[in-house]
Amino acid sequence: KNQVEQSPQSLIILEGKNCTLQCNYTVSPFSNLRWYKQDTGRGPVSLTIMTFSENTKSNGRYTATLDADTKQSSLHITASQLSDSASYICVVTPTGTASKLTFGTGTRLQVTL
Amino acid sequence: EPEVTQTPSHQVTQMGQEVILRCVPISNHLYFYWYRQILGQKVEFLVSFYNNEISEKSEIFDDQFSVERPDGSNFTLKIRSTKLEDSAMYFCASSGGRNERNEQFFGPGTRLTVL
């Protein structure tokens, strides 16, 4: 069964610090992997998208990496801000479907003063 | 910037009642989706819709569910006879294409509470 697991489940960091969130997936073959940010009570918003042949993708202070051999991805947040407090979700699109996005369990990040 | 909108933001209903959740996708998008997220759990795919018919659906999307594009702008999800376990956040999404790289843009969600 296609699964996407994330760690840690939750994380608290001080403003200005960096952090790295992990994603492990079993979806295979897959077309692309996305990281979404979901604010409380809101819909997910895409941060990065990578195909299986890409290793890294940046979007401002967000940098995603992908290792298709080990089926792992990470999202690194640099110089965190209070507004980064949200859930970060790893989403994998299996090959052959544009619809059935497989969502991870999410990491709940809280940035504090 | 264009966005997906959903109404209502919160719907409370009695078990067994019918509910209709409404979505207005981004205006030039052609592909529409519904997802749900039970509190504390991951987002789950329900159904995709294109050209006035269902493209794909998950095992969650049983006969109690239906989708419709009643006019040129709205996309609705109907639950015929709600159950307690239907309580969840329901997200609508739309995309401009069906290519696997086409980003799906999500609405803010409707929180459905079944009592």
Side-chain angles (χ1 to χ4, degrees):
Chain A
K1 185 179 176 180
N2 289 335
Q3 287 194 321
V4 179
E5 301 293 335
Q6 293 183 241
S7 62
Q9 195 171 33
S10 62
L11 183 62
I12 301 174
I13 62 172
L14 293 174
E15 186 182 29
K17 298 296 186 183
N18 305 334
C19 67
T20 299
L21 315 180
Q22 301 291 341
C23 172
N24 297 298
Y25 60 91
T26 62
V27 181
S28 183
F30 78 97
S31 170
N32 59 67
L33 184 148
R34 291 180 167 94
W35 281 92
Y36 280 87
K37 178 184 179 185
Q38 184 179 21
D39 292 309
T40 301
R42 306 291 296 178
V45 176
S46 180
L47 295 174
T48 63
I49 176 172
M50 291 179 291
T51 66
F52 65 90
S53 60
E54 293 177 296
N55 299 121
T56 186
K57 184 69 67 77
S58 290
N59 177 5
R61 295 180 296 103
Y62 301 103
T63 299
T65 65
L66 174 64
D67 186 335
D69 291 331
T70 61
K71 295 186 172 59
Q72 295 180 325
S73 176
S74 66
L75 180 69
H76 186 75
I77 305 174
T78 305
S80 61
Q81 300 175 358
L82 296 178
S83 58
D84 291 333
S85 297
S87 288
Y88 291 84
I89 307 174
C90 176
V91 183
V92 181
T93 305
T95 300
T97 173
S99 301
K100 292 184 178 178
L101 304 186
T102 303
F103 285 74
T105 49
T107 292
R108 179 81 196 152
L109 174 67
Q110 186 177 349
V111 181
T112 65
L113 292 171
Chain B
E1 189 173 331
E3 57 183 15
V4 177
T5 59
Q6 291 185 242
T7 55
S9 57
H10 192 185
Q11 173 91 45
V12 181
T13 189
Q14 294 289 327
M15 190 169 57
Q17 294 297 303
E18 173 184 288
V19 295
I20 297 176
L21 310 183
R22 291 183 166 80
C23 168
V24 179
I26 293 173
S27 62
N28 62 346
H29 283 183
L30 300 175
Y31 299 87
F32 316 115
Y33 314 85
W34 282 102
Y35 294 84
R36 79 170 185 191
Q37 185 176 29
I38 295 171
L39 186 63
Q41 298 185 23
K42 64 179 72 173
V43 177
E44 301 172 290
F45 168 77
L46 290 178
V47 66
S48 62
F49 189 87
Y50 168 70
N51 199 26
N52 278 322
E53 60 182 29
I54 291 173
S55 303
E56 291 181 274
K57 60 181 182 179
S58 70
E59 53 275 11
I60 302 169
F61 194 87
D62 61 23
D63 292 343
Q64 291 297 312
F65 292 90
S66 63
V67 289
E68 192 179 24
R69 186 143 163 89
D71 54 44
S73 60
N74 289 284
F75 178 51
T76 62
L77 174 69
K78 182 194 290 186
I79 308 176
R80 253 179 281 281
S81 178
T82 51
K83 303 189 283 284
L84 294 176
E85 54 265 39
D86 292 328
S87 294
M89 196 78 164
Y90 288 82
F91 294 106
C92 171
S94 70
S95 65
R98 202 179 174 202
N99 184 286
E100 291 155 357
R101 282 191 67 90
N102 284 114
E103 181 178 348
Q104 293 183 25
F105 292 83
F106 286 79
T110 291
R111 178 166 297 286
L112 176 65
T113 302
V114 182
L115 302 175

